[in-house]
Amino acid sequence: MGNRFQVKDRFADGAQYIDGQLRAGTSGQSHTVVDPATGDEVLTYALASTADVDEAVAAAKRAFPAWSGATPGERSDALHRLAAVLAEQAEDFASAESLQCGKPIRLSTEFDVPGTIDNAAFFAGAARHLQGQAAGEYSADHTSYVRREAIGVVGSIAPWNYPLQMAAWKILPAIAAGNTIVLKPAELTPLTSLMFAQAAKDAGLPDGVINIVTGAGRTAGEHLVGHPDVVMTSFTGSTAVGKRVAEVATATVKRLHLELGGKAPFLVFDDADLEAAANGAVAASLINTGQDCTAATRAYVQRPLHDAFVARVAELMETVRLGDPFAATTDLGPLVSHAQRDRVAGFVERARGYATVVTGGEIPGGDLAEGAYYRPTLITGAAQDSEVVQSEIFGPVLVVLPFDGDDEGIALANDTPYGLAASAWSRDLYRANRATREIQAGCVWVNDHIPIISEMPHGGYKASGFGKDMSAYSFEEYTQVKHVMYDNTAVAAKDWHRTIFGDR
C-alpha cells in the first residue's frame, strides 16, 4: 500500500473546531476513522456533545455581526486568500481525502481538491455580486429597492462520499453571503472538513465564522438542526434522513435546503454513439466507487443498441483495476466502509433471484480481502419495479434495461421517486432537446454524464430535495430579500389615508 497522510499528530487536540481552535468532544463517546482500503485505524476521536454544539453555535452567533457587516470586497478578499491556501495545501488535502474515503488518489487529486479550490475562487468573486433589484418608482409616490442580507447562523450537515467538496459546498456560499456556519461532517470522514476550517484561519478569516462539530447524527446533528439560534439548515444525504431533518427543522421554522438521494437514468437512444455511451456509462456508474448521488445507475437503452451496449459495458468493466488508492494505476478504490460494501453486496445477491449479473457481483480476495472492495457490477433483466432499479444502491452497480419508443424511454427515466440528475445520448438535436425538457431532474447532461462546474447550480426535483448548491443561485438559500420603500412626496396626509380617516 502507498504512503498515507499522517493525521494523529494533526488532530491530537481533538476533532471539534470551535471558535478558531481544535478541541476534544465532550460526549464521553468516541469514534474511529478507518482506512477502508486496509481496515486499519486512522484516528480515534471524542464525539461532540450537545454542549459542544451549543458552544459552536454561540461562537458563530458572536462572529456574525462583524462578518455580516464586512463589505463584500472584504469577504471576497478573504475567500481569495482561502483559495490560495487550499492550493498550497492541495497535496495534503488529496492524501487525507483518499485515506479516509478510499478514493483513488487520482480522483482526489484531479477532481475533489481542484474542484474545491475552484469553488472557493468562484465564491470569492460571487461575494461581490449580491445585488438586489435596481431602484425604481414602481409606485408613483415611492422609490423601491431590494436588499440582500445575510440571515444569521447556518447549521449544515455534510455526507461521507465527498467530504471536502460537500464541506465547501455548504460553507462557501453561506459565508460569501455574510453568514456564519456550524458544519457537522459525517463521523466516518471528518478530516478534510477540519482541515478546511484550519485553512480558513490560515487565510485570515475571523474565528467563529466557520465551526466544525463532529458527532453522531441523532445527538449532535439533531441538536444542531433544532437549535433556536440556527436560522437555516442545509443537509446533503439520504432521502430517509432528509425527512427527519425536515421534521426537526420545521419545528423551529427554519429555512431548509435539502440535497437528497438520486437514481440517475442514463437514456441511450438508438442513434447514439455506442462507444461514447458505453465509455460514459462505465465512468459515470463507477466514479467514487459508485458512491455519488448523480452516478449513472439505470441505463435505458433503445432495443436496437441494447445487446451491443451490454456487451461493451461488460468488456470495459472487466478492465477496471481495483487496488491501493494511493497507487497511480488504481482505477477503483474500496467503498467507504465494510458496512457499505456489505449493503451493496446485499442488493446484488437479492437481484440474482430475479435478474442476471453479467459481470462483477463479488468481493475480491487476495491482497484486497481486508479492504471494503467490490467489483464493478453489471445487471440486466431486472423489472422496472424491482429493488435494484428503484432504490439507491450507492455502489459500483449499473442496471441496464431496454426500451422501444422515445415516449417509453422518457417515461421509464422518470419512473422513480428521485430527480437529481440524468443524461440523454443521441446525435439528434431535437430528440436530445426533448429529453432535456421532459426528464424530471435538476441536471440533464447530453452525451456526457457527471461533470459539474462552480458557475452552474446543483440540486434536485421530487424526492431528491430542493434548493441549489454552487453557482449564484445558491445565494437564494443563504440570503434574505428585503424590500425598502421611500416616500417621495413629503406630504403628511396621503391620499390612501382615506381608508382610515374617511372624508375628514
Side-chain angles (χ1 to χ4, degrees):
M1 293 286 181
N3 293 327
R4 280 165 165 69
F5 184 65
Q6 300 301 309
V7 300
K8 290 185 179 179
D9 290 342
R10 178 76 177 258
F11 299 109
D13 293 331
Q16 317 301 324
Y17 188 84
I18 299 172
D19 207 12
Q21 299 294 326
L22 281 173
R23 50 183 279 184
T26 62
S27 69
Q29 298 177 314
S30 63
H31 186 85
T32 299
V33 178
V34 173
D35 178 350
T38 63
D40 295 340
E41 175 191 341
V42 173
L43 177 72
T44 297
Y45 65 92
L47 290 164
S49 66
T50 56
D52 296 325
V53 174
D54 289 341
E55 290 195 32
V57 172
K61 187 175 180 180
R62 286 193 301 271
F64 176 73
W67 182 249
S68 62
T71 67
E74 289 168 337
R75 291 198 296 269
S76 175
D77 289 347
L79 292 179
H80 276 300
R81 294 193 302 270
L82 174 57
V85 172
L86 293 172
E88 291 168 4
Q89 300 177 8
E91 186 175 349
D92 281 351
F93 273 100
S95 182
E97 195 77 334
S98 287
L99 178 61
Q100 67 181 352
C101 300
K103 295 174 186 283
I105 193 68
R106 196 182 333 137
L107 180 64
S108 295
T109 301
E110 298 179 13
F111 183 75
D112 297 69
V113 174
T116 300
I117 296 167
D118 186 69
N119 264 216
F122 171 79
F123 280 107
R128 289 179 177 266
H129 297 280
L130 280 164
Q131 300 96 335
Q133 191 172 349
E137 285 66 51
Y138 301 95
S139 154
D141 294 336
H142 303 84
T143 294
S144 289
Y145 70 88
V146 171
R147 293 174 54 90
R148 280 191 182 274
E149 298 180 346
I151 57 177
V153 177
V154 177
S156 294
I157 299 176
W160 47 255
N161 58 332
Y162 290 102
L164 176 60
Q165 286 203 321
M166 294 297 100
W169 286 16
K170 302 299 182 196
I171 293 169
L172 290 167
I175 66 173
N179 304 291
T180 55
I181 189 167
V182 179
L183 175 77
K184 193 196 91 65
E187 304 96 299
L188 289 172
T189 55
L191 304 182
T192 47
S193 297
L194 292 163
M195 291 167 65
F196 187 95
Q198 290 176 304
K201 181 164 185 171
D202 292 344
L205 271 77
D207 292 346
V209 172
I210 300 172
N211 305 272
I212 310 294
V213 289
T214 308
R218 283 289 183 182
T219 52
E222 290 205 6
H223 191 65
L224 177 61
V225 172
H227 199 289
D229 289 333
V230 169
V231 298
M232 175 191 165
T233 289
S234 176
F235 170 80
T236 296
S238 71
T239 297
V241 177
K243 290 177 180 177
R244 177 59 184 163
V245 169
E247 290 174 2
V248 176
T250 300
T252 49
V253 198
K254 289 185 184 356
R255 184 177 295 198
L256 190 59
H257 167 220
L258 299 175
E259 199 263 87
L260 306 177
K263 191 69 179 174
F266 188 98
L267 187 59
V268 183
F269 294 101
D270 58 11
D271 66 329
D273 181 324
L274 177 62
E275 186 67 10
N279 277 273
V282 173
S285 63
L286 300 184
I287 187 170
N288 203 35
T289 319
Q291 299 166 125
D292 187 311
C293 47
T294 63
T297 59
R298 302 177 288 139
Y300 296 101
V301 185
Q302 204 152 16
R303 207 169 294 274
L305 288 186
H306 177 270
D307 292 351
F309 178 88
V310 168
R312 184 58 176 145
V313 167
E315 182 180 34
L316 289 169
M317 279 189 170
E318 288 164 5
T319 69
V320 172
R321 298 166 297 185
L322 280 67
D324 174 11
F326 287 84
T329 55
T330 293
D331 300 320
L332 201 70
L335 286 107
V336 74
S337 68
H338 290 75
Q340 179 64 15
R341 182 208 55 195
D342 293 345
R343 179 180 179 275
V344 171
F347 275 101
V348 177
E349 290 309 306
R350 291 189 296 274
R352 292 185 194 276
Y354 57 80
T356 300
V357 177
V358 177
T359 189
E362 60 186 18
I363 298 170
D367 294 341
L368 303 180
E370 298 302 316
Y373 289 90
Y374 197 76
R375 294 201 183 281
T377 300
L378 178 63
I379 295 174
T380 61
Q384 175 66 15
D385 62 356
S386 63
E387 181 187 48
V388 290
V389 175
Q390 292 293 322
S391 298
E392 188 173 34
I393 299 172
F394 230 55
V397 179
L398 177 65
V399 184
V400 181
L401 299 89
F403 71 93
D404 292 305
D406 290 17
D407 291 351
E408 181 190 12
I410 292 172
L412 290 169
N414 286 331
D415 185 29
T416 71
Y418 301 106
L420 186 59
S423 62
W425 297 73
S426 173
R427 291 183 174 96
D428 186 320
L429 172 65
Y430 297 99
R431 205 177 204 183
N433 196 28
R434 178 194 174 189
T436 66
R437 292 195 309 272
E438 297 186 13
I439 292 177
Q440 298 161 359
C443 174
V444 182
W445 293 283
V446 176
N447 296 326
D448 207 346
H449 192 116
I450 284 297
I452 53 175
I453 49 176
S454 298
E455 292 83 357
M456 288 291 112
H458 176 87
Y461 286 25
K462 302 190 295 185
S464 292
F466 47 81
K468 300 299 179 185
D469 287 311
M470 297 198 300
S471 82
Y473 290 98
S474 65
F475 287 136
E476 303 298 326
E477 318 302 325
Y478 295 101
T479 56
Q480 292 276 22
V481 174
K482 178 186 287 184
H483 172 215
V484 178
M485 191 178 227
Y486 284 89
D487 172 63
N488 292 331
T489 66
V491 173
K494 297 183 172 31
D495 186 56
W496 71 267
H497 289 179
R498 289 180 295 107
T499 59
I500 300 298
F501 297 117
D503 57 359
R504 285 172 288 164

